[in-house]
Amino acid sequence: MRKLSSSLSRNHYFVIGLALGLVLSCCIPQDIRQLVQQEECPQEVAENLLIERFGQDFEPHLNLISKPLSAKKPVKNVLRPRYYSSELGIREKIFIGVMTSQENINSYATAFNRTTAHLVNKMKFFINADSVKTNYELKNIVGFTDTRESRRPFHVIKYIADNYLDDYDYFLLVTDNVYVDARKLNALLYHMSITFDLYMGGTRIRASSTNAGGVAPGAENESNADDDHDDGGDAAAGDDGGGGDSDGGGLSDRNYCALEAGILFSSSVIRKMRNNLDRCVRIGSTNDHSVNIGRCVKYASHVSGCQETFQGMRQYSYALNTKTRQYKDLSLLAKEPAFLNATTVYPVQTPEDFYRLHAYYSKHHLELVQQRGYELEQKSYRIANGSISNKILEIRWPLGVPPPSAPETRHDMLTWQLLNGTHSFLPNANANADHAVSPLSRIDALDFEKVLEIALQYATQKHPKLHYHSLHSAYRKFDATRGMDYQLHLNLYEGPTPKRLQLKSFEVVKPLGRVEVVPSPYVTESTRIALLVPSFEHQVPDALDFVAQYERICMHNQSNTFLLLIFLYRLDSPSKGDDDPFKALKKLALELSSKYKTDGSRIAWVSIRLPADLSAPVAADDWLLHASMYGPRQLLSLAVADLALPKLGLESLVLLATPSMSFRTDFLNRVRINTIQGFQVYAPIGFQLYPCNWAHFCKECDNCDISQSSGYFDRHNHDVIAFYSRDYVQARKLMAPLGLPIMHTDLDIEQLLQSPQRPAGVESILDMFVAAQHTVHILRAVEPHLRFGLDVRQHLARGGELPMPLPSRCGREQCIHLASRKQIGDAIIRYEDKSILQK
């Protein structure tokens, strides 16, 4: 074969292949598709059949007869609970139900409530409501009309199960003569699992098994006669078909928890008792509540008996020996471990004993907390010996106080303020600081004296041979995350006379106390606001612009507001006819009220006649540079409010405004949220715009965001304030005997301004609220959407000019600022340096 294949060349293969191809072409038919089975697309076949049957123009139609047009099962929107705790099944820890009587509500029940209610999640007092009174001081009382004593615990169980079963993990049922150490009870419950049935308390034992003093942890003294009576009751229940829990020897009721010592249930046991409540009522035929409850628990949850211990935890109960007066001597009882470990103490003989026991246990818990804190501090110091990096341990001085906050930018750096004991230097370390040196306030001075005293005490311990000579310098810095830091440099000397002074530095920290959330009433953004806008005769153009702004922001958008214009007439000015200075305002108010009548938005006005002393003609540019719209007469704001509030009523939310301000809707919403009747007054700090077109220190911009180059927050402008009428009236009544008489007519204004006994420093409504020491809080906060300075800009736009020179009667704090210090400094440098001007 090798010789044959080698003898055939490539040409021979080509000739043989060509010959085979010619032979096959003669044998295979012309149409090769005859050898392949033809397959078509099913959709194409169906279309061809329809065309053959119905023609080329056939269009299929859907048969929707007797067919549903929508899905049989519509998609349901998932409604999620409002709170995470509801969705995750998170419940509060403990509910305490106290079985008391109407005679003991104002004595034992009140003492129980005052010593325990603030330490637990929920508490209710249950009484028989055969003749319920309504003048009880306690509000958490539940009364049952069924006065049968044997049914009473089952009514309590049913009420708890119907109302609070899904809200709490554990339920404690006690009588009103039991003191409960709630702190110890909470610590006990947080170490137990809620997934098991719990029926815990103190069990009853024979009197012979108690100690000689009549005190036994987890037990109560009971005579044999009571045991025999209970056994008989159990036998009767057994005949009724529900007994069957006899343990032999007549001891069937011995393993029930005593209600006198308190019974602790888990929510699962309460649920099982509720499901078998009818059966529990039939088998609970005795007058002993402990037995009735125990039988119900044993039947419903099949718990073998009272659990004195559960998961390694035990609830101790201490029975007081009331035959002697030893129970009143807490120093003797404190020597017994059973008394120290007790969660419940019973029976309490008088309501005063509740407070005595509560004071002792509170002091005991405080000592334990201080001891644990000291041990933790010592442990921290022992491990902070340098063997472990401080970055890992995060132990800083002082222990437990957060470290100083790190500034994100150079603008966030907290600066140290220099003190010398009586004054502070650069008290407001910013561009708008008003004074370089200012005396310390009374509070700051007392605080500094206390800090210096503490530093001297530490210096005496650290350097016993040195004596204090004088204060060299002191610095302080406030950090909102840490507290107040002081650095004190003291001059000390050694020996009897100060021959040579030594400088020693000390650092003192006053850490922040416990941060608490101040509870406040619930408010909404739907409250109607009554805007009071006073206007002098020379401020009519500004008032017209304000009314136009009010229409655009409030009336057009139906923002639930009411505008009351207050016209301040001079003594000799006409109030009617064409010569009326406020004629244009009255006409505009009537037109807008008629235009928006269907929306319930209207504008009204009140006229006030000023006395002769205040009726001198005022030019339009006299008061433009004053921070207050009242100029040097800020006390007129009290007269405006006194005479205008009778038109509104005591329940109105009042916003006293000015015609020169601009605002947005967000500002009105913050007024509604921050002004709370009987609780809080809101005094916003508005943003004062610089008169850029007149002073030429800056570029004017109406819609720009607030910045240091366009204005500043004017802390001395108290014209805008929001309050409720009732709160204002109460504060005015407190200040009337102190020299601020209440205005009833226009003639009383002169009496207010000339009152010789007027309190010093009261110049505005805000000052009045502060001086009155009213129960309402006063909230001051910067408000970027409240801006002042439109009167100056509009006056210049109308072609007016500002007075030159500036009015001297306007003090620094009462006048507006023309520009920032940086802008004025740049202008001075450019003016003095001619080369800069040429550039």
Side-chain angles (χ1 to χ4, degrees), residues 3-58:
K3 294 180 179 180
L4 180 61
S5 60
S6 60
S7 60
L8 294 176
S9 62
R10 294 182 179 179
N11 296 330
H12 296 96
Y13 288 120
F14 174 76
V15 174
I16 294 173
L18 180 61
L20 289 176
L22 293 175
V23 173
L24 291 175
S25 63
C26 296
C27 298
I28 295 177
Q30 296 295 330
D31 193 359
I32 197 170
R33 289 180 296 178
Q34 297 177 4
L35 302 178
V36 182
Q37 183 178 359
Q38 184 175 1
E39 294 184 1
E40 296 181 357
C41 179
Q43 182 178 0
E44 184 178 355
V45 173
E47 293 179 355
N48 295 333
L49 292 176
L50 291 175
I51 293 173
E52 293 178 359
R53 183 175 179 181
F54 299 101
Q56 187 69 29
D57 299 332
F58 172 75

Side-chain angles (χ1 to χ4, degrees), residues 201-205 209-212 214-221 261 308-309 314-320 336-346:
T203 58
R204 296 176 174 180
I205 61 176
S209 64
T210 60
N211 53 19
V215 178
E220 179 192 10
N221 302 328
E308 296 187 12
T309 60
R314 181 171 183 176
Q315 176 190 354
Y316 291 93
S317 300
Y318 189 88
L320 295 171
E336 303 181 18
F339 180 76
L340 294 178
N341 298 327
T343 305
T344 59
V345 180
Y346 67 98

Side-chain angles (χ1 to χ4, degrees), residues 530-540 542-544 546-547 563-569 582 585 604-608 610 623 628-630 633-634 636-641 644 654-661 719-721 765:
L531 274 79
L532 271 63
V533 181
S535 175
F536 291 92
E537 293 182 6
H538 66 276
Q539 295 173 343
V540 171
D542 299 329
L544 290 172
F546 180 86
V547 173
L563 178 59
L564 180 63
L565 298 174
I566 303 172
F567 301 146
L568 301 175
Y569 283 94
F582 297 99
L585 270 175
W605 66 78
V606 174
S607 299
I608 297 177
L610 298 176
W623 286 359
S628 174
M629 67 155 288
Y630 304 97
R633 308 166 184 173
Q634 296 187 42
L636 279 177
S637 59
L638 288 171
V640 168
V654 178
L655 174 60
L656 187 62
T658 63
S660 62
M661 77 177 197
D719 292 346
V720 179
I721 185 172
I765 295 179

